[in-house]
Amino acid sequence: MPMVCLTDFEASAQKHLSKSTWDYIEGAAGEGFTKDDNIAAFKKILLRPRYLKDVSQVDTRTTIQGEEISAPICISPTGFHCLAWPDGELSTARAAQAAGICYITSTYASCTLEDIVAAAPRGFRWFQLYVQRDRQLNKQLIQKVESLGFRALVITVDVPKLGNRRQDIRNQLNWKTNLLLKDLRSLPERNSTPHLQMFPIDSAFCWDDLSWVQSITQLPIILKGILTKEDAELALKHKVHGIIVSNHGGRQLDEVPASIDALTEVVAAVKGKLEVYLDGGVRTGNDVLKALALGAKCVFLGRPILWGLACKGEHGVKEVLNILKDEFHTSMALTVPLVFFTFCNNMGKVMLSEINQRKTNSI
């Protein structure tokens, strides 16, 4: 039976993976409220379709940080892709290159950065940085990704400490050692990639330290993990180039807003002065449309990419991306707007729907 939606890949991936690996990928902080709410919050947003408009030319292309992508659907940074498929990030990179979209490579990739670049030499890549305590190590890593052709630096800000991931604790998973020793033990040594040694993340890194990062790189800096207008305003003040609205897939602090619920607050705060993206809970083309209509420049996918990888490797990732792109194309064609949100090539071909958000009462 063919897989026709992202949840089909989710069900199939669970069958392909060991329990501990599945629990790690699907893990959440606390009671998992935020992880579930990331998905549920999209369903509270209703589209208001308008018809009898010309939708014969629907174009999904857009740009992020001045670079064209085939659709506003890109790949979030997630670590340890070799848990899902033998050649891990190499397959992910090839699929992203074929799709013409951005792939944010994680600090904790299970393949070397050199191998990832070699696997997809024409790929559009950003690099996600967990800031380490050793500044010299940070500098070396940033200089390496810059020399390898990565086009932006994504600093994850919501992990000064690892979240309370109950399932990992139940499975006695030590994310710094056991994950690599048990699941990646068959991989060759990678002495050329010091970031794989799992150095401790710098819990003292703060706003004033951004100027040091900016002093050692020409790459645009994107902050991942912003959820409030206050932090969005500080990001603007510190002259970063973009924000990824994200709660880390519900893996860090439970009972924070769903990413889509936090999006409008962040978008309003930056007043169009920097690009805002969304990560978390995107499972359908309608979800992509809603995020863009609420001000995101594009969305990033985390777990669904790993589902595709677990099922079919590179081809599975391509299928996940194609399914979502096709659904998004359909959503655009079926929701011709009264109000236009042009996000693409400024040729008037791409139209996003006026939306109506139905809010639930807070208790």
Side-chain angles (χ1 to χ4, degrees):
M1 183 179 298
M3 290 184 279
V4 300
C5 61
L6 269 57
T7 53
D8 285 349
F9 276 89
E10 179 181 15
S12 180
Q14 185 172 9
K15 297 174 183 177
H16 282 80
L17 298 172
S18 68
K19 181 181 183 301
S20 61
T21 296
W22 178 254
D23 287 348
Y24 174 73
I25 291 171
E26 294 300 304
E31 297 174 298
F33 170 82
T34 295
K35 178 200 169 190
D36 295 339
D37 196 41
N38 271 347
I39 298 170
F42 275 102
K43 306 311 174 189
K44 301 171 188 172
I45 301 170
L46 303 182
L47 298 167
R48 300 185 66 242
R50 298 294 307 278
Y51 298 120
L52 294 179
K53 299 282 186 176
D54 183 358
V55 292
S56 59
Q57 298 185 70
V58 176
D59 187 344
T60 63
R61 291 173 299 165
T62 188
T63 61
I64 53 174
Q65 298 299 318
E67 301 268 359
E68 184 176 288
I69 51 178
S70 67
I73 302 163
C74 298
I75 299 179
S76 293
T78 52
F80 313 116
H81 286 204
C82 284
L83 293 175
W85 192 258
D87 68 356
E89 287 83 3
L90 307 186
S91 283
T92 306
R94 286 191 290 262
Q97 176 178 272
I101 54 133
C102 179
Y103 164 37
I104 307 179
T105 304
S106 171
T107 295
Y108 295 142
S110 45
C111 298
T112 68
L113 299 176
E114 294 88 345
D115 286 348
I116 292 169
V117 171
R122 299 181 308 281
F124 175 24
R125 281 174 293 274
W126 294 352
F127 180 75
Q128 175 269 333
L129 177 69
Y130 284 118
V131 178
Q132 312 294 310
R133 293 177 188 171
D134 183 342
R135 282 207 169 184
Q136 187 61 28
L137 177 61
N138 291 316
K139 184 176 181 179
Q140 291 173 354
L141 188 50
I142 291 168
Q143 289 174 339
K144 171 181 277 191
V145 299
E146 200 164 1
S147 69
L148 286 172
F150 287 78
R151 298 179 199 171
L153 184 67
V154 179
I155 300 177
T156 296
V157 301
D158 59 0
V159 192
K161 180 181 179 181
L162 194 66
N164 180 27
R165 304 175 188 177
R166 295 179 181 177
Q167 202 59 28
D168 288 351
I169 297 169
R170 292 189 183 104
N171 290 335
Q172 298 183 323
L173 177 66
N174 182 326
W175 80 299
K176 290 184 178 180
T177 56
N178 291 351
L179 187 64
L180 290 175
L181 292 173
K182 290 181 179 178
D183 294 284
L184 303 179
R185 61 183 181 271
S186 62
L187 297 176
E189 292 295 326
R190 292 178 169 84
N191 295 327
S192 63
T193 52
H195 58 290
L196 283 177
Q197 296 173 24
M198 305 296 286
F199 287 90
I201 294 170
D202 187 0
S203 59
F205 188 80
C206 61
W207 288 103
D208 289 341
D209 295 312
L210 282 173
S211 60
W212 176 78
V213 179
Q214 291 163 331
S215 75
I216 63 171
T217 184
Q218 297 298 311
L219 294 175
I221 293 176
I222 317 294
L223 298 185
K224 179 177 180 289
I226 301 295
L227 291 172
T228 65
K229 73 178 185 67
E230 292 85 358
D231 279 348
E233 289 167 352
L234 283 168
L236 196 58
K237 177 182 176 182
H238 286 82
K239 297 181 171 56
V240 303
H241 295 79
I243 287 172
I244 302 178
V245 176
S246 171
N247 52 42
H248 217 100
R251 295 167 71 85
Q252 275 301 102
L253 180 63
D254 201 15
E255 300 176 42
V256 300
S259 295
I260 192 66
D261 287 340
L263 177 63
T264 50
E265 178 178 328
V266 172
V267 167
V270 303
K271 301 175 182 177
K273 295 178 182 178
L274 53 77
E275 293 184 353
V276 178
Y277 320 108
L278 178 131
D279 161 85
V282 174
R283 298 294 183 267
T284 68
N286 276 355
D287 294 343
V288 179
L289 180 71
K290 292 170 185 179
L292 268 63
L294 288 172
K297 198 71 163 62
C298 81
V299 302
F300 286 87
L301 301 178
R303 291 183 180 95
I305 297 301
L306 296 174
W307 301 338
L309 197 62
C311 293
K312 302 181 182 180
E314 175 185 346
H315 297 293
V317 177
K318 286 179 181 177
E319 285 187 38
V320 164
L321 293 169
N322 285 335
I323 286 170
L324 202 58
K325 182 177 177 181
D326 289 345
E327 289 182 356
F328 174 57
H329 188 283
T330 300
S331 298
M332 289 172 64
L334 293 178
T335 52
V336 184
L338 177 63
V339 178
F340 294 111
F341 296 86
T342 302
F343 75 98
C344 179
N345 54 10
N346 296 317
M347 295 176 64
K349 295 180 181 178
V350 177
M351 297 161 285
L352 298 184
S353 176
E354 177 189 6
I355 65 170
N356 177 51
Q357 184 170 6
R358 183 175 64 195
K359 298 182 180 293
T360 58
N361 292 327
S362 299
I363 297 176

